[in-house]
Amino acid sequence: MSASETSTALRNLLDGRWAHVRERARSQLADPALLPDPTLDTRAARARVLDQLHVIAKTGYPAAGFSADHGGGGDIGASITSFEMLAYGDLSLMVKAGVQWGLFGGAIENLGTERHHDAYVGSLIDLDLLGCFAMTETGHGSDVQNLGTTATYDSDTDEFVIHTPDRLARKDYIGGAAQHATMAAVFAQLVTDGTTHGVHCLLVPIRDAEGSDLPGVTTSDCGHKGGLNGVDNGRITFDHVRVPRAALLNRYADVAADGTYSSPIENPSRRFFTMLGTLIRGRVSVAGAAGAGARVALTIATGYANERRQFRRPDDSEVVILDYLAHQRRLLPLIARSYALQFAQNELVSRLHDIESADHPDPHAQRELEGRAAGIKAVATWHATRTIQECREACGGAGYLSENRLTTLKADTDVFTTFEGDNTVLMQLVAKELLTAYAADVGGLDVLGMVRFATRTVADVVVERTAAQQVIQRLVDAVSSDDEEHDLLERGTQLEMFEDRERHVLETVARRLRRAKDRDPDEAFAIFNSAQDHVIRAARAHVDRIVLEAFVAAVDRCTDDETRTLLDSVCDLYALSVIEDDKAWFMEHKRLSAGRAKTLTASVNQLCEQLRPHALTLVEAFGIPDELLGAEIVRA
Amino acid sequence: MSASETSTALRNLLDGRWAHVRERARSQLADPALLPDPTLDTRAARARVLDQLHVIAKTGYPAAGFSADHGGGGDIGASITSFEMLAYGDLSLMVKAGVQWGLFGGAIENLGTERHHDAYVGSLIDLDLLGCFAMTETGHGSDVQNLGTTATYDSDTDEFVIHTPDRLARKDYIGGAAQHATMAAVFAQLVTDGTTHGVHCLLVPIRDAEGSDLPGVTTSDCGHKGGLNGVDNGRITFDHVRVPRAALLNRYADVAADGTYSSPIENPSRRFFTMLGTLIRGRVSVAGAAGAGARVALTIATGYANERRQFRRPDDSEVVILDYLAHQRRLLPLIARSYALQFAQNELVSRLHDIESADHPDPHAQRELEGRAAGIKAVATWHATRTIQECREACGGAGYLSENRLTTLKADTDVFTTFEGDNTVLMQLVAKELLTAYAADVGGLDVLGMVRFATRTVADVVVERTAAQQVIQRLVDAVSSDDEEHDLLERGTQLEMFEDRERHVLETVARRLRRAKDRDPDEAFAIFNSAQDHVIRAARAHVDRIVLEAFVAAVDRCTDDETRTLLDSVCDLYALSVIEDDKAWFMEHKRLSAGRAKTLTASVNQLCEQLRPHALTLVEAFGIPDELLGAEIVRA
C-alpha cells in the first residue's frame, strides 16, 4: 500500500458515519475566502463574517439541523459534522454560524413549540432573522441556575416584563448582541403571581430594522477580544421590556392567560436541566471545532518539521528537525490524541443523532450523553489549546507570523475552554453525573447541590463500557491474569489500566464525599472543597477511558491489515502517553512499579521513532483541503 | 504588621539591588499611554511605538547600559532593571527598545572598538541613528554558527562585500528591518583570501534618510504577527553590498588592509562563543520581561478571583472563586514560582553586572553566567506562557476581552520562548555547559559538537551552589540523616531533593552519552538523539535548583519575622509544587515512597489554603503601578 492509499484508508476511518458530508464540505468549502484575516479591524472583520454567513446559508448546511416538519433537513449528525468542517476556515464564521443556527435556532427548535417554529425557523435558516442567545450574565456565567434577569407575567396585559435588576444581571459576551441580532433568546427567572419558577427562555426583539435598540433595551459592545473579532459580542440590559405571552418558548413549561404555571416536568431542578440538555449540541459542536483546530495546527507543524533543517550531522548534512526525538515527542503524541479524540467525537455525534432523532428519547441515555458531551468538550478544548500552542512553538519564529496561521488559530480557539461551559465546571458536572449514577433527582452545581450529591453517592462504582463492548471484553480477557508485569503494549493491559484508574478514583472520591453526609453546611462545603481536585481527576479518568474505547472500536473497524498495524501503533501511543502523563498516579497507587515506569518512557520513545516515517501520512489523513491550510511555510 | 506593611516589606525584597531604579521607573512610567492598544492596525501600532521610544530616550534609562567612556551611564544592572520595568507597559515598546539599545547598541558597544563607539553610541542612544540586529536567517535560527550570509574582504578596494547567497541565507524576523532601521549589525561568515573565519558582525547601512533601500539592499516586511505588532519585523537580502573595512566590529577579530586576519582568540569556536557571549544581556532582559508579564497576569487574575463569586453556599451567599481549592491550585503555585524566578533573576542581573563591570571578566564566571542566563531565560519564558494562559482561563469570558489585557499579554509574550534562543535549544546548551564542566574547548550545538561534548563528559558531576552557600549548607545539615521520611516542609529536605535530582540526572545522562565515544558518527547521533529528553531534563533540574537557592537566600535576607514566615510558606509552595510536577521522577528513582507522595499533594493543598488569605498581599508586593495594570475587571 502506498502512503497515499494508507492516508486515504485512515481518512475513511476518521471521517466516520458522515463521511459524505465531510467530502462534500471539502469541495464546497475549499475557498481561501473562508480563511481568517487577522489584519482586519473589528468593523471590517464583522462585516466580512456576516457576508460569509450568507454564503454558508446558501449551501443548505444550516437547514440540516432542523426538523423536516419545520422546513429543515432533519439530519442532526450531518448538521454537526458540517459545523465541524466549517472550523477549518475562519473560526469567527463558525462561531457566528453556531450562534445563529445552533444556539438561537436550537433554542427555538428545541424549547419552542409550533407557533415559534412556524414563525421563525424558516427565516432564521435564511438569515432574514438574525438572532442571539442571551444566557450568560456579567455576574453569572457557569451558574446559569442563578441568573438575575426576570420575566414577570402581567396577566392584565397578557405580557411578560423582561427586566435587568442590577449590573450583575446584565447579559454579557453575547455573540450578535453588539451589532447584528434583532432578536434575542433571553434566559430569565420566570415569575408568575410572585412565584419564581426558575430559568426559562423567551424571545425578545432587541433592535429595529435600522439597527437601533428598541425601547427599554440597551445594547453595548464588548469591543476588541483576544480572538474571534469577526463575532460582534455585546451586552444587553432590559428596562421593563414587554413581550406577549406567546414569546415564552413553551415546550417544557407554559403560563396560561390567568398566570397559571404548568409544566410536564414537576421537579424544578430536573426541568431546568432538561431545558439545558436540549442545548447539548453547542457543546458537541465546540468539541468538534476544537478537534478541527488542533488538526490544522498539527498538519502545519508536522509539514514544517518534515522540511525544516537545523544543525549539522557529522557528514555536514543538516538534520531534519522531525528526526530529533525531542521534536517527535512534541508532535506525535498530540497527533495520536487527535486521532483518539476524533473517534470519540464521531461516537458522540452518532449517539446524539440517534437519541435526538428518536420520537421518545430515553432519559437515561440523554443524561449519559450530556455527561459525555461535557467531558469530551472539556478534554477536546484543552487539547486544542495545548496542541496549537505547542505547534506554534515548534515552528519557532515562523510560527509567530500571521501568514502561518498558528497564532490566529490559537487566539480564536482560546475561549473554547471557557464558552459553552467552563471546562473546570464541566468536569465537575461529569463527575457528579458519574457519582450519582444518573440518579433521577438532580441538584444544581451550587454548593447545596454539591453537598446533596456528595451525600447520595453510590457505594459501588460501575464503569460502563461505551463502545465496541465485546471487542473490549475480548482484549481485556486476553491479558493473562497471573502475570503482574503485563506488557504495556498489550491493548488489554492498557484498557485495564484506564478502567482500573477510573474505578479507583471514583470510589475513593465517593468515599471522601460521603463524609459530608449529616455535617453542617459549612463542614460539608469544606469537605467538598478539599476534594475538588480529586473530583476533577475522576472526570478526567472517565473521559480518557471512553476516548480510548472509541479508539479501540475504530481499530477494530479497520479492515486493511497494513493500515490497521499503523493505527494500532497510534492507539498505543495515545494510551501510553496518557498513562505517562499520569505516571505518578499509577505509581502512587501501586499500579506501576518503578521499573515498569522506566519501560513506559522507553516505549513512548520507541513508538515516536516507529511512527516518525508515517508522520506526514498521519496528518494527511485529516484531509484538510490545501486551500484551507493557509500557512505559507507549508505551501508547495 | 498590616497587610500593606507586609506587602511593602515583600516588595523591598523582590525589588532587590536596583530597587531605586524600580521605584523611579514606577513613578516615571506610570503612564497609561505606555499601555498596549490591541485595536491599532500594524501601521498605527508601529508609529505609536516609535513615538513612545522617543519618550523613553528622554528619560535617560537607555544611556545607563553604555560605558561612561562612550557617553553612557555605566550601570549595567540599572539598565537591565529598567528594561524589565518597561515590560509592565506595551511589550512592543520593550522589544523595540531592546533591539535599538540592547541588541544593536550592545553589538556596537561590546563587539566594536573606539572608532565605532565614537561614531555611533551617542547617536543611537539619542535615536538619531536607528539600527537593527541582523543575525537570524530564514534557514538558520538557532544554528547561528552556520549562517549563510558572507562578508568577503576585497583588498583592492579595502572593502567587505556583504552577500546573501541563497533564500535560506536571507535575514529574517529582524526587528526594525521592515521600516525604521537605517543601519544593520549584520552577522556573516567572514572570508579573506578564500578562507572562512566564521561568523562576525559588521555595520551595514540599509536605508537612506527617506526610508528607501540602499543599492544592493532589499528589505521586505514580515507583516502581521501573533503579537508585538508595534515592532516592524522584516527581511533583508544583500546583493554584493560594499562597506568599508572599518565596518567590521573588530574587538575580537580584525582584518588588515592586505587581508590578513587576526584575533586574540585562536580557537574559532571559542571566538564565536565569546562574541555571542557579549550579547548575553538580551537573554537576561527577555527573562526579566517574561517575569514582569507573568506578574501582571497574576495580579489581574488574583484581583478578579478575590472579587468574583460563582455558585451559592448552603446559606445562599455566593462563593468567592478564590475560596475554591481548584482555583487556589491554579494561581497560588504560579505566584510562588513568580517569587522564586524574580529572586533568581535579581541574582542573575547582579552577577552579570559585577562580571561585565570588571576590567578583566573571569572567563569561567562568564561561561557559567551564560549557562545560567540561558536556563533562566528558558524557564522564565515557559513560566510566562503557562501563567498568562492559566490567568486568561481563570478569568473566564472576562479574560478574553482585550479591555482586560490578558490576551494581549499572552499574544505579545508568546514569542519569548523562541527569540533570543529557542528554549529547547537553550536547555541543551545549559546541559552541555554543565556536563563539560565549562571545559575550555567548546564545540557548537551542531551534531558534531554534541557528539564531541558527549565523549568528553566528566565522570563526577559537581553540583555547585550558587547563592547563600553557608545558609544552604546549614539547612541541609539540619536534616537528620537517619530518618528516611524527612519532613517535606523542611527546607533542608527540599534542597537535598533538588540537589540529589540534579546530580542523579546529570550523572546518568553523562553515562548514556559516554557510550557515544568511539562510535561512528551515525551511531553517535542516534545515542545523542535517544537521550535528548534526558539532556533537557538535566538542564531543567539544574535551573530549578538554582532558582530554589535564590529563593532560600532571599528568605534569609528577610529581617521581619512575620514577613519571613509568610515568605517561608511561599518558598515551601514553590519547592513542593516543583517536586509535585516531577513526582513521577522522584518515585521512579525511589526518592519518594507512595505514601509520601500522597502527603506531598496534601501539603500543597494545605499551603494553598494557608496562603489564600494573603493572596492579594502577595501580588500587591509585585508593585505594578495601577496605571499600568490596565484591566477593567480589577479597576477600583
PDB file of all heavy atoms in Angstrom, chain A residues 34 48-58 62 86 92-98 100-101 125 127 130:
ATOM      1  N   LEU A  34     -12.694  31.830   2.883  1.00  0.00           N
ATOM      2  CA  LEU A  34     -13.219  31.449   4.199  1.00  0.00           C
ATOM      3  C   LEU A  34     -12.127  31.442   5.276  1.00  0.00           C
ATOM      4  O   LEU A  34     -12.410  31.176   6.438  1.00  0.00           O
ATOM      5  CB  LEU A  34     -13.887  30.069   4.124  1.00  0.00           C
ATOM      6  CG  LEU A  34     -15.153  29.987   3.257  1.00  0.00           C
ATOM      7  CD1 LEU A  34     -15.729  28.579   3.310  1.00  0.00           C
ATOM      8  CD2 LEU A  34     -16.208  30.997   3.728  1.00  0.00           C
ATOM      9  N   ARG A  48     -17.188  41.165   7.151  1.00  0.00           N
ATOM     10  CA  ARG A  48     -16.754  40.049   6.311  1.00  0.00           C
ATOM     11  C   ARG A  48     -17.436  38.747   6.746  1.00  0.00           C
ATOM     12  O   ARG A  48     -17.902  37.962   5.924  1.00  0.00           O
ATOM     13  CB  ARG A  48     -15.238  39.925   6.433  1.00  0.00           C
ATOM     14  CG  ARG A  48     -14.632  38.807   5.599  1.00  0.00           C
ATOM     15  CD  ARG A  48     -13.127  38.988   5.527  1.00  0.00           C
ATOM     16  NE  ARG A  48     -12.509  38.056   4.604  1.00  0.00           N
ATOM     17  CZ  ARG A  48     -11.863  36.951   4.968  1.00  0.00           C
ATOM     18  NH1 ARG A  48     -11.750  36.653   6.246  1.00  0.00           N
ATOM     19  NH2 ARG A  48     -11.323  36.158   4.073  1.00  0.00           N
ATOM     20  N   VAL A  49     -17.477  38.534   8.060  1.00  0.00           N
ATOM     21  CA  VAL A  49     -18.063  37.295   8.565  1.00  0.00           C
ATOM     22  C   VAL A  49     -19.568  37.241   8.269  1.00  0.00           C
ATOM     23  O   VAL A  49     -20.097  36.178   7.943  1.00  0.00           O
ATOM     24  CB  VAL A  49     -17.746  37.132  10.064  1.00  0.00           C
ATOM     25  CG1 VAL A  49     -18.629  36.078  10.698  1.00  0.00           C
ATOM     26  CG2 VAL A  49     -16.268  36.755  10.237  1.00  0.00           C
ATOM     27  N   LEU A  50     -20.224  38.395   8.344  1.00  0.00           N
ATOM     28  CA  LEU A  50     -21.655  38.395   8.015  1.00  0.00           C
ATOM     29  C   LEU A  50     -21.865  38.035   6.538  1.00  0.00           C
ATOM     30  O   LEU A  50     -22.772  37.265   6.196  1.00  0.00           O
ATOM     31  CB  LEU A  50     -22.266  39.766   8.333  1.00  0.00           C
ATOM     32  CG  LEU A  50     -23.795  39.850   8.230  1.00  0.00           C
ATOM     33  CD1 LEU A  50     -24.476  38.856   9.167  1.00  0.00           C
ATOM     34  CD2 LEU A  50     -24.282  41.273   8.526  1.00  0.00           C
ATOM     35  N   ASP A  51     -20.998  38.555   5.689  1.00  0.00           N
ATOM     36  CA  ASP A  51     -21.071  38.183   4.266  1.00  0.00           C
ATOM     37  C   ASP A  51     -20.849  36.680   4.084  1.00  0.00           C
ATOM     38  O   ASP A  51     -21.562  36.024   3.333  1.00  0.00           O
ATOM     39  CB  ASP A  51     -20.001  38.935   3.458  1.00  0.00           C
ATOM     40  CG  ASP A  51     -20.342  40.405   3.302  1.00  0.00           C
ATOM     41  OD1 ASP A  51     -21.514  40.774   3.573  1.00  0.00           O
ATOM     42  OD2 ASP A  51     -19.437  41.192   2.943  1.00  0.00           O
ATOM     43  N   GLN A  52     -19.826  36.170   4.763  1.00  0.00           N
ATOM     44  CA  GLN A  52     -19.534  34.733   4.662  1.00  0.00           C
ATOM     45  C   GLN A  52     -20.726  33.901   5.135  1.00  0.00           C
ATOM     46  O   GLN A  52     -21.018  32.836   4.591  1.00  0.00           O
ATOM     47  CB  GLN A  52     -18.313  34.373   5.524  1.00  0.00           C
ATOM     48  CG  GLN A  52     -16.974  34.919   5.019  1.00  0.00           C
ATOM     49  CD  GLN A  52     -15.858  34.677   6.021  1.00  0.00           C
ATOM     50  OE1 GLN A  52     -16.107  34.517   7.220  1.00  0.00           O
ATOM     51  NE2 GLN A  52     -14.622  34.649   5.541  1.00  0.00           N
ATOM     52  N   LEU A  53     -21.411  34.408   6.160  1.00  0.00           N
ATOM     53  CA  LEU A  53     -22.548  33.683   6.723  1.00  0.00           C
ATOM     54  C   LEU A  53     -23.638  33.492   5.661  1.00  0.00           C
ATOM     55  O   LEU A  53     -24.271  32.426   5.578  1.00  0.00           O
ATOM     56  CB  LEU A  53     -23.101  34.452   7.932  1.00  0.00           C
ATOM     57  CG  LEU A  53     -24.008  33.669   8.880  1.00  0.00           C
ATOM     58  CD1 LEU A  53     -23.221  32.606   9.647  1.00  0.00           C
ATOM     59  CD2 LEU A  53     -24.677  34.614   9.888  1.00  0.00           C
ATOM     60  N   HIS A  54     -23.827  34.519   4.850  1.00  0.00           N
ATOM     61  CA  HIS A  54     -24.814  34.411   3.778  1.00  0.00           C
ATOM     62  C   HIS A  54     -24.391  33.375   2.736  1.00  0.00           C
ATOM     63  O   HIS A  54     -25.235  32.672   2.191  1.00  0.00           O
ATOM     64  CB  HIS A  54     -25.051  35.787   3.129  1.00  0.00           C
ATOM     65  CG  HIS A  54     -25.947  36.662   3.955  1.00  0.00           C
ATOM     66  ND1 HIS A  54     -27.317  36.567   3.911  1.00  0.00           N
ATOM     67  CD2 HIS A  54     -25.668  37.623   4.864  1.00  0.00           C
ATOM     68  CE1 HIS A  54     -27.849  37.450   4.756  1.00  0.00           C
ATOM     69  NE2 HIS A  54     -26.864  38.110   5.348  1.00  0.00           N
ATOM     70  N   VAL A  55     -23.082  33.300   2.497  1.00  0.00           N
ATOM     71  CA  VAL A  55     -22.579  32.272   1.573  1.00  0.00           C
ATOM     72  C   VAL A  55     -22.902  30.874   2.113  1.00  0.00           C
ATOM     73  O   VAL A  55     -23.390  30.009   1.387  1.00  0.00           O
ATOM     74  CB  VAL A  55     -21.042  32.433   1.361  1.00  0.00           C
ATOM     75  CG1 VAL A  55     -20.489  31.274   0.520  1.00  0.00           C
ATOM     76  CG2 VAL A  55     -20.728  33.780   0.725  1.00  0.00           C
ATOM     77  N   ILE A  56     -22.668  30.705   3.398  1.00  0.00           N
ATOM     78  CA  ILE A  56     -22.922  29.403   4.031  1.00  0.00           C
ATOM     79  C   ILE A  56     -24.423  29.067   3.998  1.00  0.00           C
ATOM     80  O   ILE A  56     -24.811  27.922   3.766  1.00  0.00           O
ATOM     81  CB  ILE A  56     -22.400  29.394   5.483  1.00  0.00           C
ATOM     82  CG1 ILE A  56     -20.889  29.637   5.526  1.00  0.00           C
ATOM     83  CG2 ILE A  56     -22.754  28.090   6.195  1.00  0.00           C
ATOM     84  CD1 ILE A  56     -20.071  28.619   4.772  1.00  0.00           C
ATOM     85  N   ALA A  57     -25.244  30.086   4.237  1.00  0.00           N
ATOM     86  CA  ALA A  57     -26.694  29.856   4.252  1.00  0.00           C
ATOM     87  C   ALA A  57     -27.149  29.242   2.936  1.00  0.00           C
ATOM     88  O   ALA A  57     -28.025  28.368   2.907  1.00  0.00           O
ATOM     89  CB  ALA A  57     -27.434  31.178   4.509  1.00  0.00           C
ATOM     90  N   LYS A  58     -26.511  29.698   1.864  1.00  0.00           N
ATOM     91  CA  LYS A  58     -26.920  29.210   0.530  1.00  0.00           C
ATOM     92  C   LYS A  58     -26.479  27.765   0.264  1.00  0.00           C
ATOM     93  O   LYS A  58     -26.997  27.124  -0.645  1.00  0.00           O
ATOM     94  CB  LYS A  58     -26.344  30.125  -0.554  1.00  0.00           C
ATOM     95  CG  LYS A  58     -26.968  31.507  -0.512  1.00  0.00           C
ATOM     96  CD  LYS A  58     -26.746  32.293  -1.804  1.00  0.00           C
ATOM     97  CE  LYS A  58     -27.414  33.664  -1.708  1.00  0.00           C
ATOM     98  NZ  LYS A  58     -26.772  34.541  -0.670  1.00  0.00           N
ATOM     99  N   PRO A  62     -27.029  24.700   6.943  1.00  0.00           N
ATOM    100  CA  PRO A  62     -27.707  25.096   8.193  1.00  0.00           C
ATOM    101  C   PRO A  62     -29.067  24.429   8.360  1.00  0.00           C
ATOM    102  O   PRO A  62     -29.476  24.122   9.475  1.00  0.00           O
ATOM    103  CB  PRO A  62     -27.839  26.610   8.056  1.00  0.00           C
ATOM    104  CG  PRO A  62     -26.730  26.997   7.126  1.00  0.00           C
ATOM    105  CD  PRO A  62     -26.633  25.866   6.155  1.00  0.00           C
ATOM    106  N   LEU A  86     -16.661  23.471   8.985  1.00  0.00           N
ATOM    107  CA  LEU A  86     -16.575  24.936   8.907  1.00  0.00           C
ATOM    108  C   LEU A  86     -15.403  25.448   9.745  1.00  0.00           C
ATOM    109  O   LEU A  86     -14.819  26.489   9.457  1.00  0.00           O
ATOM    110  CB  LEU A  86     -17.892  25.506   9.458  1.00  0.00           C
ATOM    111  CG  LEU A  86     -18.488  26.763   8.861  1.00  0.00           C
ATOM    112  CD1 LEU A  86     -18.509  26.713   7.350  1.00  0.00           C
ATOM    113  CD2 LEU A  86     -19.910  26.963   9.398  1.00  0.00           C
ATOM    114  N   SER A  92     -14.319  32.652  13.418  1.00  0.00           N
ATOM    115  CA  SER A  92     -15.374  33.636  13.690  1.00  0.00           C
ATOM    116  C   SER A  92     -16.640  33.255  12.936  1.00  0.00           C
ATOM    117  O   SER A  92     -17.753  33.373  13.458  1.00  0.00           O
ATOM    118  CB  SER A  92     -14.938  35.039  13.244  1.00  0.00           C
ATOM    119  OG  SER A  92     -14.004  35.589  14.138  1.00  0.00           O
ATOM    120  N   LEU A  93     -16.460  32.793  11.718  1.00  0.00           N
ATOM    121  CA  LEU A  93     -17.616  32.367  10.923  1.00  0.00           C
ATOM    122  C   LEU A  93     -18.275  31.152  11.571  1.00  0.00           C
ATOM    123  O   LEU A  93     -19.496  31.081  11.694  1.00  0.00           O
ATOM    124  CB  LEU A  93     -17.166  32.039   9.492  1.00  0.00           C
ATOM    125  CG  LEU A  93     -18.213  31.370   8.590  1.00  0.00           C
ATOM    126  CD1 LEU A  93     -19.442  32.252   8.431  1.00  0.00           C
ATOM    127  CD2 LEU A  93     -17.610  31.040   7.225  1.00  0.00           C
ATOM    128  N   MET A  94     -17.462  30.226  12.025  1.00  0.00           N
ATOM    129  CA  MET A  94     -18.007  29.027  12.670  1.00  0.00           C
ATOM    130  C   MET A  94     -18.827  29.431  13.906  1.00  0.00           C
ATOM    131  O   MET A  94     -19.931  28.928  14.118  1.00  0.00           O
ATOM    132  CB  MET A  94     -16.826  28.114  13.056  1.00  0.00           C
ATOM    133  CG  MET A  94     -17.166  26.693  13.433  1.00  0.00           C
ATOM    134  SD  MET A  94     -17.766  26.488  15.114  1.00  0.00           S
ATOM    135  CE  MET A  94     -16.348  27.074  16.037  1.00  0.00           C
ATOM    136  N   VAL A  95     -18.280  30.357  14.693  1.00  0.00           N
ATOM    137  CA  VAL A  95     -18.991  30.766  15.909  1.00  0.00           C
ATOM    138  C   VAL A  95     -20.248  31.550  15.563  1.00  0.00           C
ATOM    139  O   VAL A  95     -21.319  31.345  16.152  1.00  0.00           O
ATOM    140  CB  VAL A  95     -18.055  31.588  16.829  1.00  0.00           C
ATOM    141  CG1 VAL A  95     -18.838  32.231  17.966  1.00  0.00           C
ATOM    142  CG2 VAL A  95     -16.948  30.689  17.382  1.00  0.00           C
ATOM    143  N   LYS A  96     -20.127  32.419  14.576  1.00  0.00           N
ATOM    144  CA  LYS A  96     -21.301  33.206  14.160  1.00  0.00           C
ATOM    145  C   LYS A  96     -22.407  32.258  13.675  1.00  0.00           C
ATOM    146  O   LYS A  96     -23.584  32.436  14.014  1.00  0.00           O
ATOM    147  CB  LYS A  96     -20.865  34.162  13.038  1.00  0.00           C
ATOM    148  CG  LYS A  96     -21.911  35.176  12.627  1.00  0.00           C
ATOM    149  CD  LYS A  96     -21.872  36.437  13.457  1.00  0.00           C
ATOM    150  CE  LYS A  96     -22.903  37.463  12.951  1.00  0.00           C
ATOM    151  NZ  LYS A  96     -23.167  38.488  13.962  1.00  0.00           N
ATOM    152  N   ALA A  97     -22.014  31.260  12.903  1.00  0.00           N
ATOM    153  CA  ALA A  97     -22.979  30.264  12.422  1.00  0.00           C
ATOM    154  C   ALA A  97     -23.554  29.480  13.600  1.00  0.00           C
ATOM    155  O   ALA A  97     -24.758  29.196  13.657  1.00  0.00           O
ATOM    156  CB  ALA A  97     -22.305  29.317  11.429  1.00  0.00           C
ATOM    157  N   GLY A  98     -22.679  29.156  14.559  1.00  0.00           N
ATOM    158  CA  GLY A  98     -23.116  28.407  15.739  1.00  0.00           C
ATOM    159  C   GLY A  98     -24.135  29.186  16.561  1.00  0.00           C
ATOM    160  O   GLY A  98     -25.102  28.616  17.067  1.00  0.00           O
ATOM    161  N   GLN A 100     -26.137  31.635  15.414  1.00  0.00           N
ATOM    162  CA  GLN A 100     -27.375  31.836  14.650  1.00  0.00           C
ATOM    163  C   GLN A 100     -28.197  30.548  14.534  1.00  0.00           C
ATOM    164  O   GLN A 100     -29.364  30.515  14.904  1.00  0.00           O
ATOM    165  CB  GLN A 100     -27.016  32.355  13.242  1.00  0.00           C
ATOM    166  CG  GLN A 100     -28.162  32.404  12.252  1.00  0.00           C
ATOM    167  CD  GLN A 100     -29.197  33.466  12.588  1.00  0.00           C
ATOM    168  OE1 GLN A 100     -28.953  34.354  13.427  1.00  0.00           O
ATOM    169  NE2 GLN A 100     -30.368  33.377  11.981  1.00  0.00           N
ATOM    170  N   TRP A 101     -27.568  29.502  14.035  1.00  0.00           N
ATOM    171  CA  TRP A 101     -28.330  28.283  13.736  1.00  0.00           C
ATOM    172  C   TRP A 101     -28.302  27.284  14.891  1.00  0.00           C
ATOM    173  O   TRP A 101     -29.267  26.578  15.127  1.00  0.00           O
ATOM    174  CB  TRP A 101     -27.808  27.650  12.450  1.00  0.00           C
ATOM    175  CG  TRP A 101     -28.049  28.509  11.248  1.00  0.00           C
ATOM    176  CD1 TRP A 101     -29.258  29.004  10.832  1.00  0.00           C
ATOM    177  CD2 TRP A 101     -27.084  28.997  10.311  1.00  0.00           C
ATOM    178  NE1 TRP A 101     -29.095  29.760   9.694  1.00  0.00           N
ATOM    179  CE2 TRP A 101     -27.769  29.773   9.336  1.00  0.00           C
ATOM    180  CE3 TRP A 101     -25.705  28.868  10.171  1.00  0.00           C
ATOM    181  CZ2 TRP A 101     -27.131  30.407   8.273  1.00  0.00           C
ATOM    182  CZ3 TRP A 101     -25.070  29.487   9.100  1.00  0.00           C
ATOM    183  CH2 TRP A 101     -25.768  30.250   8.172  1.00  0.00           C
ATOM    184  N   ILE A 125     -33.182  30.272   9.276  1.00  0.00           N
ATOM    185  CA  ILE A 125     -32.310  29.474   8.397  1.00  0.00           C
ATOM    186  C   ILE A 125     -31.798  30.352   7.239  1.00  0.00           C
ATOM    187  O   ILE A 125     -30.618  30.347   6.909  1.00  0.00           O
ATOM    188  CB  ILE A 125     -33.063  28.232   7.847  1.00  0.00           C
ATOM    189  CG1 ILE A 125     -33.281  27.204   8.963  1.00  0.00           C
ATOM    190  CG2 ILE A 125     -32.279  27.585   6.687  1.00  0.00           C
ATOM    191  CD1 ILE A 125     -34.088  25.978   8.550  1.00  0.00           C
ATOM    192  N   LEU A 127     -31.507  33.548   7.194  1.00  0.00           N
ATOM    193  CA  LEU A 127     -30.889  34.776   7.716  1.00  0.00           C
ATOM    194  C   LEU A 127     -31.756  36.021   7.546  1.00  0.00           C
ATOM    195  O   LEU A 127     -31.256  37.141   7.675  1.00  0.00           O
ATOM    196  CB  LEU A 127     -29.508  35.020   7.094  1.00  0.00           C
ATOM    197  CG  LEU A 127     -28.460  33.905   7.273  1.00  0.00           C
ATOM    198  CD1 LEU A 127     -27.137  34.325   6.635  1.00  0.00           C
ATOM    199  CD2 LEU A 127     -28.239  33.603   8.744  1.00  0.00           C
ATOM    200  N   LEU A 130     -31.922  37.565  12.191  1.00  0.00           N
ATOM    201  CA  LEU A 130     -30.650  37.299  12.883  1.00  0.00           C
ATOM    202  C   LEU A 130     -30.886  37.347  14.384  1.00  0.00           C
ATOM    203  O   LEU A 130     -31.467  38.308  14.904  1.00  0.00           O
ATOM    204  CB  LEU A 130     -29.605  38.343  12.491  1.00  0.00           C
ATOM    205  CG  LEU A 130     -29.044  38.221  11.065  1.00  0.00           C
ATOM    206  CD1 LEU A 130     -28.141  39.417  10.754  1.00  0.00           C
ATOM    207  CD2 LEU A 130     -28.278  36.915  10.886  1.00  0.00           C
TER     208      LEU A 130
END
